[in-house]
Amino acid sequence: MSTVAAQPVPNTVDPRTARKVTLAGCVGIFAELYDNGIFGFMAGTLAAVFFPGSRNAVQLVFLGYAVSFFFRPLGGIICGHLGDRIGRQRMLVFVIMLISVATAAIGLLPSYAAIGVAAPVLLIALRVAQGFSVGGEASGAMSFLAEHAPEGRRGQYTSYAQIASFLSLLTGTLIAAAMTSGLGADRMESWGWRIPFLLAVPLGITGIYIRRRISDTPNFTRLREGGGLAKNPLKEAFASAEHRRAMLLALFIPLMNGSGYYVLFSYMPTFMNTELHFGKVQSLLVTASSLVAICIAIPYMGRLSDRIGRKKVIAGAAIAMAVVGIPCYLLIGTGNVALAVLGACLMAVVFAGHTGVIHILLVELFPTRVRYSAYGLGYNLSSALFGGTAPLLMTWLIAETGDVHMPAYYAVLTALGTLAAVSVVKDRAHLPLRDA
């Protein structure tokens, strides 16, 4: 059992250290999510390069996208166990190194025309490595930021990491749009598609450099010095009824991520191009507009959750998404770029109330002894089941039914699921993080 006092200890991190740590977390998350997100943006081109001649080429690319998500829980378990045992900082250096190498390797892969079926097999293998890495990133980085954040500002500080994640998607979108417009389809399929993946090298080096220069969190350090580290964090989490319930909540509260992050942003350019017949550049620019909107809205939602609580903000976002989801997709489906931008931006602002707050709510569900492991398992299972499969599910449902409004129905359904799950949460926004 832990020798650490049961009463939570408020953090007293000085503002300069908090800013330095926030920068480290955000730069790393930017690199991680850029590396992971660019795969979704390049789906159409990757389909032509790795599955030429197949009628289901785009679905096969998204199948590879989905498969990697089922390795996220494994990444969450292994990285979480080590993160709770040897520290958050060491694992965050490892995961950014792994995903940067895997992403750069995708940019060096031979095409199907060069080596046949081995090309898509290698592509999926590298996606698996990416999935494992991202599984260790989200719970680790958010725990790291929250455990460093000043009391009363945890929502604000962790929301900055979410801005970084969407800025990385925006960067990927703009790079894809600029290259598609400047090079054209033929040169993109010939060699241009490699460039966005190879950019992982400088991004990864930057993230590794910054993360190696920061110290571990006050919560973890205090627990380690007091002899309170768990020998088997995940086993301990499953042995506790309270922690089992929290892991179930970590599985279902993020349901809106499936329709938000993975459909509205990662899948949207492909959806608009293949199903709504927008031009590739138009599709990417609509997505870019919505990414700007969500980056502006996220910090306001984070600060709002520090004042009124996480539960109210997430529940409000879920209700709003259930109301506006279908009308917004109808605007996107008009084929008019201006109306599509309006619909996508409105959904983005609504989704900010979920994505800007979800991670700090999950961090606060668990004590430091098991936080990285238990939070990582629940959240990554949710991403695997309801997130990474979403683009594949949407393409399949649209192909089977002929109904292009499937993403709208998914938005409403996942919002209602999140609302039901968050309604039973005990809000800990105004309490110190627990160590044990």
Side-chain angles (χ1 to χ4, degrees), residues 252-311:
F252 290 108
I253 295 174
L255 274 170
M256 267 180 69
N257 275 345
S259 59
Y261 191 96
Y262 298 105
V263 173
L264 180 58
F265 297 108
S266 291
Y267 174 62
M268 183 60 73
T270 301
F271 170 69
M272 293 182 67
N273 180 239
T274 59
E275 305 297 340
L276 303 180
H277 309 296
F278 282 80
K280 284 188 177 181
V281 174
Q282 289 178 320
S283 304
L284 289 167
L285 291 180
V286 170
T287 303
S289 299
S290 64
L291 286 166
V292 171
I294 199 168
C295 287
I296 293 171
I298 282 174
Y300 292 100
M301 298 299 179
R303 287 197 291 270
L304 181 63
S305 78
D306 282 332
R307 292 200 298 270
I308 69 172
R310 326 299 184 202
K311 185 172 179 177

Side-chain angles (χ1 to χ4, degrees), residues 326-338:
I326 292 176
C328 285
Y329 268 101
L330 291 175
L331 287 174
I332 296 170
T334 61
N336 180 284
V337 174

